[in-house]
Amino acid sequence: MLKCPYCGKDAALVTGDKIYPHRPDLYDRNFWLCAACDAYVGCHKKGAHVRNAGKSDGTLPLGSLANAELRKWRSYVHSILDPLWQTKKLKRRDVYRILAKHLNIRIGKCHVGLFNEDRYKQAIKFLNERFPPS
């Protein structure tokens, strides 16, 4: 069970059709949702190997519950970060290793879903300076 960091209520485990009714491809995925705050987070796929957690049962959160504002920060950081490894310019692990070193955190803690607003701002500034948009 997850507690909402915004209101302190218990989050409920729901399926993707509740979060993304326009995305049938996500209907079978699990999400933790605080309906009172509209804060949610996706879960690792069932059977996925998760570092330090073993195989996911499909209910392990990908990060922390996020409200609309925090989700915008996450999306923006991913829009900068993901193309660096998706285009094969760098390996994914190397991108996160570089970012973790700059943020002075362990690579195991360098997960966009765990950042707060200040950390997002630091990441955006660094990534834009280190890997300027083409």
Side-chain angles (χ1 to χ4, degrees):
M1 187 64 60
L2 291 182
K3 290 272 186 204
C4 177
Y6 304 102
C7 70
K9 294 181 180 176
D10 288 338
L13 189 64
V14 300
T15 53
D17 58 314
K18 302 280 188 272
I19 305 293
Y20 296 107
H22 59 288
R23 296 276 312 267
D25 58 312
L26 297 177
Y27 285 6
D28 65 341
R29 298 288 301 272
N30 287 327
F31 292 79
W32 288 100
L33 168 69
C34 175
C37 298
D38 191 35
Y40 57 85
V41 63
C43 296
H44 289 275
K45 288 182 182 178
K46 185 175 183 176
H49 179 76
V50 182
R51 184 183 304 245
N52 300 325
K55 283 195 175 182
S56 171
D57 65 357
T59 67
L60 185 64
L62 288 164
S64 62
L65 287 165
N67 63 12
E69 183 177 346
L70 200 60
R71 290 192 303 270
K72 286 179 188 175
W73 284 106
R74 288 180 180 176
S75 179
Y76 187 64
V77 171
H78 273 296
S79 76
I80 299 168
L81 193 66
D82 294 351
L84 296 172
W85 61 268
Q86 289 172 341
T87 59
K88 310 275 192 240
K89 289 181 183 177
L90 293 166
K91 291 182 180 175
R92 186 171 190 237
R93 183 157 177 84
D94 291 338
V95 172
Y96 280 91
R97 183 179 291 119
I98 291 165
L99 181 57
K101 184 176 180 179
H102 173 77
L103 296 174
N104 199 29
I105 58 175
R106 292 189 344 251
I107 192 165
K109 296 290 182 185
C110 192
H111 187 298
V112 175
L114 299 176
F115 291 1
N116 61 26
E117 188 174 328
D118 289 336
R119 179 113 335 132
Y120 289 123
K121 290 177 181 176
Q122 293 171 6
I124 291 165
K125 184 176 187 299
F126 171 72
L127 291 168
N128 281 329
E129 289 172 356
R130 179 75 157 69
F131 307 101
S134 311

